[in-house]
Amino acid sequence: MADRRSVLGQLPHGGPPDAVQRQKPLRLRGRNAAWVPPLLLLVGIALLDANTSGRFRIISWVVVVPAVAAAICGVLGTMALGVLSLLTYGAVDTAWPHQYQTGLPDFILVLAGGVLATLACSLRVRGERRMLHMRDVAETTRRTVLRPMPPGWGGLDHAAVYLTADSEARVGGDFYDIQPGLHGTRLLLGDVQGKGLAAVEAAAALLGTFREAAYHERVLDTVAGRLEIRMLRHVRYCAAVGRDEADRFATGVLVAFPEETPATVEVINFGHEPPLVVTPDGVRRLPPGDGLPLGLSELTLAPPPVLRVPLAPGETLLLVTDGVTEARDAAGDFFPLRDALAKALARDPRTADPHLLVRFVCDATLDHCGGRLADDTTIFAVRRRARGGRGT
C-alpha cells in the first residue's frame, strides 16, 4: 500500500538544519554514523590482506571504500575515507616483500577511485539538496493552501485526513477550511475539477476568498456569491494569460454554524456529495440541494439555495470528496460509505467522535480500494464543542 500522508499530521520544520538531518541515513545515539560501514570495510580488507599469503593480495580492493562512502556520507567524509584508503594501501602494500607488492598501478587505481567517488558524492549531495528544497517549497504550498488548524478552532471539534492519488504529491485539487468570524463559524470543503498545479491554484484562490468573506459577511448567501465570483474571475484570468481553463469548476459544500441557533446549521451545496450526520444511533444524509458547481452560474439564473437543517449538540457532520464515494474494489463496486458507517456505529457508538470517525473512513476506504486511490481524497469531520470558541 502506498504511503499516505495526512495534512494535519506532524509538520516538519523547514530550513537548512532540517535538510542536513534528513540527509543522514545512519545515526548512532543522535550522531551521524554514516562513516562507520566504509571504515569497517577498510579495516576488514586491510586485515584480510595482512593475514593471507602473498599469492592472495586484495589490498587494492580498498578502492571500493570511497565508493561506498560516496553513497551514504557527505563530501568531506568521502574525501577523508578516500585519503585514508590511499594511506592504508601504501602502508599495507609496502609491508610486503618487493616481489609480492601490487605497486604503482594499483596505487593510481585507488587514487583515481577516491577522486571519482568524491566527485560523485558532490553530485549526489547537490541533487539531494535540490530535492529537499523542492520538498520544502511543496510543504510551504501545502500549508498555505491547507493550513493546520488548532484544536477547537471556531468552537468545533474537528479532524481531517487528506490523501493524494499521487503518493509523492503533497497537495491537489481538494480543499477545506474552518473560518471563525464576526457572525459565527463557517466551513468549506470542495474539489476542483481536474488535477495538477492548475487545480491547486484554483483551490488556493477559493480558499483565500472564503477566509475573508466567511469572517466578514453576515449572510451565508453573500459568502457563496463571493466564491462564485472568485471562480469566474480565476477562469477569466487564466484565459487572459493564455491558459485554456474555460471548463474549470469546483464542487463544494459551504456550512455555517450560527451562534443564535446552536441546534441548526446552514448549508449551501455546490453540486457536491451531501454531508452525512453521524450520531451514536446511526447515520442520516443531509438534503442534496440544487446548486451548480462554482464557476457554472452562467448556466442558471437562480443562486444555490440555503438549507437550514437540524444538527443537535453531539452530532458529527462528515464531509468527504469523491475519492471516498468513488473508491472501487477489484470487482469495480463503489465504496458503500453509509452502510459501512452504520455497521461501525452498531459495533461501537464511539465511532461518531470526529477523530475516530475520520480514522475509520480513511482505513475503510483504503481497504476497499486496496490502497489504490483513483482521485484525491479528503475526509473532514466536525462537531460543535460543548463550549464554543472563537478564533481569527
Side-chain angles (χ1 to χ4, degrees):
M1 182 182 299
D3 177 38
R4 304 294 179 184
R5 185 184 300 266
S6 167
V7 297
L8 294 186
Q10 185 67 28
L11 296 175
H13 300 283
D18 182 54
V20 172
Q21 293 293 329
R22 284 181 286 176
Q23 290 186 71
K24 295 178 179 178
L26 180 62
R27 300 183 66 80
L28 184 63
R29 294 183 179 180
R31 295 186 178 183
N32 182 15
W35 52 270
V36 173
L39 182 61
L40 291 177
L41 178 61
L42 176 61
V43 173
I45 293 174
L47 291 177
L48 186 60
D49 185 88
N51 289 277
T52 54
S53 68
R55 298 180 182 275
F56 186 75
R57 298 298 316 282
I58 64 167
I59 189 59
S60 58
W61 291 9
V62 295
V63 71
V64 305
V65 171
V68 172
I72 60 176
C73 297
V75 176
L76 293 179
T78 301
M79 184 183 301
L81 284 163
V83 172
L84 187 59
S85 297
L86 195 63
L87 295 175
T88 302
Y89 170 84
V92 174
D93 192 49
T94 55
W96 285 90
H98 179 73
Q99 65 270 25
Y100 296 126
Q101 293 180 6
T102 55
L104 181 62
D106 285 2
F107 179 86
I108 296 175
L109 174 66
V110 175
L111 175 62
V115 172
L116 293 175
T118 302
L119 293 175
C121 181
S122 176
L123 293 175
R124 191 207 90 220
V125 170
R126 185 181 303 175
E128 286 181 351
R129 287 175 177 170
R130 185 181 299 112
M131 178 192 69
L132 291 171
H133 176 70
M134 293 175 64
R135 288 182 59 184
D136 288 340
V137 171
E139 182 69 17
T140 301
T141 302
R142 181 188 67 74
R143 295 181 65 179
T144 301
V145 176
L146 298 175
R147 61 180 180 176
M149 293 175 285
W153 184 238
L156 301 176
D157 289 323
H158 59 84
V161 166
Y162 181 81
L163 309 174
T164 57
D166 179 3
S167 61
E168 297 299 322
R170 299 229 164 184
V171 67
D174 288 4
F175 58 92
Y176 63 90
D177 199 11
I178 297 173
Q179 180 58 60
L182 302 176
H183 309 287
T185 297
R186 280 82 181 258
L187 71 82
L188 175 67
L189 176 138
D191 181 5
V192 175
Q193 174 266 337
K195 300 182 184 296
L197 293 177
V200 177
E201 185 178 358
L206 289 172
L207 281 174
T209 297
F210 166 73
R211 289 163 183 164
E212 290 303 308
Y215 180 84
H216 291 285
E217 300 297 343
R218 178 182 297 274
V219 182
L220 194 63
D221 302 73
T222 306
V223 180
R226 293 274 296 274
L227 290 171
E228 174 64 27
I229 292 172
R230 186 66 184 93
M231 192 68 199
L232 293 174
R233 289 174 53 205
H234 177 74
V235 171
R236 286 195 292 267
Y237 166 79
C238 292
V241 296
R243 286 156 42 190
D244 184 15
E245 295 193 23
D247 58 348
R248 181 76 65 186
F249 62 87
T251 64
V253 179
L254 179 63
V255 182
F257 295 83
E259 295 180 343
E260 63 275 10
T261 55
T264 63
V265 293
E266 298 176 351
V267 181
I268 298 180
N269 193 316
F270 303 99
H272 197 81
E273 181 75 15
L276 297 176
V277 177
V278 182
T279 72
D281 300 323
V283 185
R284 71 177 187 271
R285 189 185 303 274
L286 294 187
D290 301 318
L292 290 177
L294 293 166
L296 301 181
S297 60
E298 296 174 350
L299 302 179
T300 180
L301 298 177
V306 179
L307 304 177
R308 292 173 176 83
V309 296
L311 186 72
E315 294 185 332
T316 300
L317 197 63
L318 175 66
L319 305 95
V320 300
T321 58
D322 54 12
V324 173
T325 55
E326 296 181 5
R328 296 175 182 261
D329 60 12
D333 297 326
F334 291 114
F335 175 52
L337 174 60
R338 190 171 180 178
D339 293 341
L341 281 174
K343 294 177 181 178
L345 291 166
R347 292 191 302 267
D348 185 1
R350 293 176 300 175
T351 306
D353 176 81
H355 293 86
L356 297 178
L357 180 60
V358 165
R359 182 181 302 174
F360 168 77
V361 175
C362 177
D363 292 343
T365 302
L366 292 174
D367 288 342
H368 182 78
C369 66
R372 297 179 296 273
L373 295 173
D375 199 356
D376 294 343
T377 301
T378 299
I379 307 164
F380 193 26
V382 297
R383 181 174 64 187
R384 273 193 175 101
R385 281 195 158 189
R387 293 183 178 182
R390 176 168 295 201
T392 58

